[in-house]
Amino acid sequence: MATSNLSAYDAQSVPDASNMIFGIVVAEWNPGITGALLDGCVNTLEKHGALPENIHVKRVPGSFELIYGAHQMTLNDGYDAVIILGSVIRGETPHFDYICQGVTAGIARLNATSNIPVIYGLLTTNDMQQARDRAGGRLGNKGDECAIVAIKMAKF
């Protein structure tokens, strides 16, 4: 279980994002969670200088489709980083394992083969409360963390 706040970071260590362009691919599945992740991500990008017109959001039906969405964004010239945001909550079947493994492998492959970083923002939780805790709840917001990672990796 995570014990640190996902929204805690040293703001002085974050580069200025005012001339960076970000693509965000967000899953529609579990919209209460992914919407909160998206809000945190966008707010944090803007807090560090990203202009609203330089933050491009695309939606896909579910978490598995994040791979395709991110891949399409990596083919588009102009993005400094792409962020994926999704939420998979364990159920009664092995579907959880297949989706989590597939998305993880797909995003890892994109990071190894594309010219821009793809930031992994997929929550993989055992229940809805764990997802809420990581999407603006008591453990912060994974969207904030993804925004900071995207800015730092875009500067890399």
Side-chain angles (χ1 to χ4, degrees), residues 8-149:
Y9 61 92
D10 175 12
Q12 294 179 341
S13 72
V14 182
D16 175 36
S18 60
N19 61 358
M20 296 178 182
I21 301 173
F22 299 95
I24 302 174
V25 185
V26 60
E28 294 172 336
W29 194 258
N30 293 323
I33 300 300
T34 60
L37 294 173
L38 178 61
D39 290 344
C41 186
V42 169
N43 291 338
T44 300
L45 289 171
E46 290 178 354
K47 176 181 172 183
H48 290 283
L51 302 173
E53 61 267 23
N54 289 340
I55 302 170
H56 304 169
V57 177
K58 298 286 187 181
R59 297 182 190 282
V60 295
S63 291
F64 198 77
E65 292 78 26
L66 291 166
I67 304 164
Y68 178 84
H71 181 237
Q72 292 306 305
M73 284 190 156
T74 65
L75 298 175
N76 238 346
D77 290 336
Y79 291 114
D80 294 293
V82 172
I83 302 163
I84 63 122
L85 299 172
S87 172
V88 183
I89 299 170
R90 188 177 301 279
E92 296 176 1
T93 69
H95 181 76
F96 173 90
D97 298 315
Y98 300 133
I99 297 298
C100 295
Q101 290 170 2
V103 175
T104 300
I107 298 305
R109 187 182 73 251
L110 285 176
N111 269 306
T113 60
S114 65
N115 292 326
I116 61 171
V118 180
I119 310 309
Y120 184 87
L122 180 68
L123 290 182
T124 57
T125 59
N126 289 319
D127 56 48
M128 183 60 80
Q129 187 57 53
Q130 287 180 346
R132 287 187 194 109
D133 288 346
R134 290 158 177 79
R138 69 180 183 87
L139 295 175
N141 191 318
K142 180 75 172 174
D144 295 341
E145 178 186 338
C146 290
I148 298 305
V149 172

